[in-house]
Amino acid sequence: MPPEKDEKAVHARRFDFFGLFFNALLPLAGMLLALLIGAIMLLILKVNPLTAYAQMINGAFGSVSGLTQTLVKATPLLLVGLGICIAFRASVINIGGEGQIIVGALAATWFPLTFRTWPGWLLIPSTLLVGFMAGAIWGFVPGILKARLRVNEILTTVMMNAVALQLMNLLVRSVLMDPAGISAGTYLAQSERLPEQAWLMRLVPKTLLNTGSLIAVALAIVVYIFLWRTTIGYRIRAVGFNAEAARFSGINVPFNQALSLTLAGGFAGIAGAIEVMGVQHRLLEGITSGYGFSGIVAALFGGLHPLGTIPASILFGALLVGGDKMQRAVQVPNSLIDAILGLVVLFVVGSALWSRRWAAHRQMAAAKNQEEQA
Amino acid sequence: MFKRLIVVMVLLALLVTACAKPTPTAAPMTEVPATEAVVTEAPTEAPTAEPAKTFRVAVVMPSAVTDMAFSQSMYNALLAVQAEMGGEAAMEIKYSEGMFKVPDAAAAVRDYASQGFDVVIAHGSQYGSSVQEIAPDFPDVTFAWGTDVNTFGMPNVYAYTAAAEEGGYINGVLAAMLTKSKIIGVTGPVEVGDAKTYIDGFTQGVAAIDPTITVSKTWTGSFSDVALMTEAAKTHIAAGADILTGSSQSVVGSIGAAKDTGKVLWFGTQQDQASLAPELVVASQVYDWIGMVKEIIAQHLAGTLGGKTYILQLKNDGLKIAFNPLYALPADVLAAGQKAIEDIKTGKITVTP
Amino acid sequence: MNDVFQLSVIAGILTSAIRLATPYLYAAIGETFSQRSGVLNLGVDGIMLLSAYASFYVVLNTSSIWLGLLAAIVVGLLMGLLMSFVSVTLKAEQGISGIGLYMFGLGLSSLLFKITIGTVKTVTGFQPVKIPLLGNIPVIGEIFFNHSLLVYGAFLLVPVAWWILEKTTWGLRIKSVGQNPAAADSLGVNVDRVRYVSVCIGAMLAGIAGASLSISLLNLFQDNLTAGQGFIAVALVYFGGWKPVGILWGALLFSTVNAFQLWMQVLGVNIPSDVAIMLPYLLTIAALAVTINRVRQPAALNKPFERGES
């Protein structure tokens, strides 16, 4: 998937108002079409679609609680999405997000519980770093297998996901199990609560919004700088754009591919760490809840651009949170939301065709202009 | 590219502000002419001056409401209580299922509380920290949380759990007496929570009757992977087991495997699973939340909003052994089972998880 | 550990392995058709789920297993058409449209199950059929020749798929479209049509995979019945080097190790269950690392084709 070809062209020519409007409108049109089909399904279930969708928007944005929920959900989506941006730009597909989040969360649980006397200013950054490294290792393994042995990364990342899940099961029910649960005889599948110095500060009282979201946004800027303002970033993008040409200009293609997969894993690992440190304050089952896959969708909605992934993850988070609220309010089964979300993804991604056609059209028109002026 | 997304955000903002904030959708309190509330109002001939309000209960569950196991057991209990109270007019039930992700469940719990529900049940052991954070904000709402024993010392929080090991023990006793091959298979999901405690109790029950019986355990590593659970059951059967048991929503697979053989027997937990294999399910430990729910409602109406831990046990009828009427249990086996139940109730036998 | 090497145990493991491999074979070989023509379809799991539900519902209400199988194929076809439309005609990002398809299939199957059936039930699906003569061979007969028709079908699919891909014109077209669509296009092959057909074949086979679960192996339907098997099937395509025979080995390896770890648990071998469950996945990675994979993926895989673009 080559990144947006028209990028440079956009900057080169005059401000293309209609094109912008068109580009932004199309994904929205796709989304609305999916919601329309969802409305039909709602009608079949004897629910008023207008009420239902109003509840959805209300749930996502209409209250402090809802808005913070949306942002809390958007955070891991953004972080995984950032990793995906890096990987996809090198033409590497990372489906290993789930496993990388898990090991990041595992590391970010084990570390503070082991070094629980460390002060917060030391514990928090080091835990985040440990989480990053754990995820990076989980991305490195498929990366090196791809680089050295040409093993396809789709295969290895899917397998690593399953391994990570079992690893978490193993640890959570033995070494990491909450001692309180053992003594009470409940044996819950969760770890002990993290020491308070490892907790990420809550931004809004009585909500789950925490500084992890700010960290995520800061990292988005870092990734942007990395990809567009450093040599390494340039090389990664070159590899993705045209691997043959990159090789000719002396860039080590396999190394950069492995690197991108490692970095992608690292960012997913941070997502896991922040979930544990900022939201749950402990490790428990279901901590990934599909973010490994939804993050891919968020990255693509954001045009594979780190800064674009920010609004894209907020939007996706809103859909998820709003969907839950809709489920509660009109008592439709949860699965309806999943089905509608699937349609949203299909249609939004399908609508990109016309964006590209329009962009190509503009590109040709601009080239023709230049010719005529010459 | 970047500018494109600014436009998206602007449009989104327009969309949001364009929708006038909808009126609160909390179901309006239905005024009902005096019907029997759970507590004291004696039904009178004519509607009295004070109509009773609909009692509103919300429940948040981690899996599907049709999971034939944990979530369904609570939902069924609520439906039963609702029927006893007089139907939907007397008691409103709203549920959120599939809330496996804790932040989602937290949002649901908070939402229900702020909509004025009387009792909000957080039916999942992972919801503890959420309840701990939310309960203080809504002092008029009763929060019931399970399975765990911790009420955090808060006046409006109840905790509940099931001593699954007790029913496990009984099932073990029965199974030990019925097995001919002396091999019993256990298909478990992950060795945590009440899956673990049930199986611990089961193993002790078997050992109490005949320590030479082999109890063979497999864990699939997932609560939902039915295919693997089925294969695990088939493996046990191929290895000679003539009785199976296990826990979680994925045991429907094991029951199916037993059914295929036509002769392997099944012992269930959390829910009466006889309907899945009417001739082969011997008994199921049933989590009967009904008594607990009724007591919580009564307490709430009387002004006590929490502060107690409920443990479902055989002796308080929270746990029941549902014998399948379609399976002909020999009299001596039944007697042994009944005796074991009595012994646990009186404390003569203690089962430790 | 000595028990493990008893004949009956080995026989048990192999029988389990053959059963477990069935859905993977259907889904992975189906995906091979799709990928050989250049389309990556990550929505296989969603197709399996929706087809599993459809076939289960039909069997529940009509008791006809063949109608149920037909329902699964029809649903697979419809999902395949949707995927082709979005990925081939609309030229969308294939990885993402696949995930969208997965979410849609997962959601719709659960929704329909909730509304139309409501609670878990069992049906009588395809029953094991003993092949005369061969089925009577001691030990071997039990392992290989006493399975349901859908299981036999999965294994028969391997040579059939090989033959189609290697020995027919159609197979040649599929491969050429996947390797060099521009060249194929210039030779008059309708690239889009070939891709549509391949994706739909893949989807129909994924449909049969779903049916093999709900009306043959498990004989029930529940939310998320497949629990991610579709994604493993996609991974197996890579493992098998886009060749039916390779996929057969991959599916068998994976399923055998899976069956093995189950038996280990049953026999009480003292390994933590979680480690045992990891084994199939770890071994698959190891196997891949060890066998140097010289096969390259179809050159045009995951690249939408537009005439005039290179």
Side-chain angles (χ1 to χ4, degrees), chain B residues 66 97 216 219 231 249 259, chain C residues 16 114 118 122 222 265-266:
Chain B
T66 52
E97 54 168 359
S216 192
W219 302 94
E231 206 49 54
Q249 63 200 79
K259 196 172 167 203
Chain C
S16 285
K114 175 70 143 311
T122 54
Q222 199 188 46
Q265 289 192 54
V266 167

Side-chain angles (χ1 to χ4, degrees), chain B residues 127-269:
Chain B
Y127 301 153
S129 33
S130 315
V131 170
Q132 192 178 15
E133 276 193 31
I134 301 173
D137 291 347
F138 300 96
D140 295 330
V141 176
T142 292
F143 294 87
W145 167 49
T147 53
D148 204 289
V149 298
N150 194 351
T151 66
F152 310 115
M154 292 185 188
N156 60 341
V157 174
Y158 286 109
Y160 59 85
T161 184
E165 63 274 11
E166 292 187 3
Y169 188 91
I170 306 297
N171 276 356
V173 165
L174 297 167
M177 297 191 68
L178 286 172
T179 176
K180 298 191 180 51
S181 67
K182 301 249 184 254
I183 302 179
I184 301 182
V186 173
T187 53
V190 186
E191 205 175 350
V192 290
D194 60 347
K196 175 184 182 343
T197 54
Y198 168 73
I199 291 173
D200 286 346
F202 184 87
T203 318
Q204 290 174 42
V206 170
I209 298 291
D210 182 353
T212 64
I213 297 179
T214 314
V215 177
S216 192
K217 302 178 208 165
T218 57
W219 302 94
T220 58
S222 154
F223 286 93
S224 56
D225 192 345
V226 181
L228 205 52
M229 192 61 98
T230 308
E231 206 49 54
K234 290 187 178 165
T235 310
H236 282 295
I237 295 173
D242 61 350
I243 298 189
L244 293 177
T245 187
S247 146
S248 91
Q249 63 200 79
S250 50
V251 293
V252 291
S254 310
I255 303 178
K259 196 172 167 203
D260 279 346
T261 66
K263 50 187 168 74
V264 169
L265 302 176
W266 174 264
F267 285 86
T269 180

Side-chain angles (χ1 to χ4, degrees), chain B residues 101-125:
Chain B
K101 314 164 199 176
V102 177
D104 295 348
V109 169
R110 183 173 284 277
D111 200 34
Y112 285 130
S114 55
Q115 282 180 31
F117 276 80
D118 300 297
V119 172
V120 180
I121 303 179
H123 191 57
S125 45

Side-chain angles (χ1 to χ4, degrees), chain B:
Chain B
M1 156 65 47
F2 187 30
K3 296 166 194 150
R4 169 208 291 207
L5 287 135
I6 297 186
V7 179
V8 174
M9 284 308 286
V10 167
L11 284 173
L12 213 60
L14 284 176
L15 199 61
V16 168
T17 51
C19 296
K21 195 154 182 225
T23 49
T25 55
M29 305 275 223
T30 42
E31 309 277 22
V32 198
T35 42
E36 60 295 16
V38 169
V39 196
T40 48
E41 303 243 320
T44 47
E45 336 72 43
T48 56
E50 258 192 37
K53 292 186 296 191
T54 318
F55 196 85
R56 310 179 63 210
V57 175
V59 58
V60 178
M61 304 177 281
S63 52
V65 80
T66 52
D67 68 353
M68 266 287 178
F70 186 63
S71 296
Q72 190 167 354
S73 66
M74 175 57 82
Y75 187 63
N76 284 348
L78 289 176
L79 287 177
V81 175
Q82 183 187 51
E84 264 192 50
M85 280 178 73
E88 284 199 26
M91 174 170 145
E92 175 192 353
I93 304 176
K94 270 223 168 128
Y95 68 87
S96 278
E97 54 168 359
M99 295 278 108
F100 197 51
K101 314 164 199 176
V102 177
D104 295 348
V109 169
R110 183 173 284 277
D111 200 34
Y112 285 130
S114 55
Q115 282 180 31
F117 276 80
D118 300 297
V119 172
V120 180
I121 303 179
H123 191 57
S125 45
Q126 60 265 56
Y127 301 153
S129 33
S130 315
V131 170
Q132 192 178 15
E133 276 193 31
I134 301 173
D137 291 347
F138 300 96
D140 295 330
V141 176
T142 292
F143 294 87
W145 167 49
T147 53
D148 204 289
V149 298
N150 194 351
T151 66
F152 310 115
M154 292 185 188
N156 60 341
V157 174
Y158 286 109
Y160 59 85
T161 184
E165 63 274 11
E166 292 187 3
Y169 188 91
I170 306 297
N171 276 356
V173 165
L174 297 167
M177 297 191 68
L178 286 172
T179 176
K180 298 191 180 51
S181 67
K182 301 249 184 254
I183 302 179
I184 301 182
V186 173
T187 53
V190 186
E191 205 175 350
V192 290
D194 60 347
K196 175 184 182 343
T197 54
Y198 168 73
I199 291 173
D200 286 346
F202 184 87
T203 318
Q204 290 174 42
V206 170
I209 298 291
D210 182 353
T212 64
I213 297 179
T214 314
V215 177
S216 192
K217 302 178 208 165
T218 57
W219 302 94
T220 58
S222 154
F223 286 93
S224 56
D225 192 345
V226 181
L228 205 52
M229 192 61 98
T230 308
E231 206 49 54
K234 290 187 178 165
T235 310
H236 282 295
I237 295 173
D242 61 350
I243 298 189
L244 293 177
T245 187
S247 146
S248 91
Q249 63 200 79
S250 50
V251 293
V252 291
S254 310
I255 303 178
K259 196 172 167 203
D260 279 346
T261 66
K263 50 187 168 74
V264 169
L265 302 176
W266 174 264
F267 285 86
T269 180
Q270 292 178 336
Q271 167 88 346
D272 186 356
Q273 295 170 334
S275 59
L276 287 171
E279 265 101 61
L280 297 169
V281 176
V282 179
S284 309
Q285 170 181 222
V286 176
Y287 289 179
D288 189 343
W289 308 105
I290 295 182
M292 178 190 94
V293 170
K294 277 166 49 172
E295 195 184 311
I296 291 181
I297 294 179
Q299 296 269 49
H300 180 94
L301 286 168
T304 308
L305 294 154
K308 186 173 156 180
T309 301
Y310 292 93
I311 303 185
L312 290 194
Q313 293 174 303
L314 288 172
K315 80 167 175 243
N316 59 20
D317 271 347
L319 291 177
K320 298 202 171 79
I321 306 292
F323 292 97
N324 180 6
L326 289 176
Y327 180 80
L329 200 56
D332 59 326
V333 180
L334 181 59
Q338 309 269 31
K339 175 167 187 307
I341 295 178
E342 275 316 306
D343 286 343
I344 293 185
K345 281 188 186 177
T346 56
K348 213 164 139 214
I349 304 181
T350 43
V351 191
T352 43

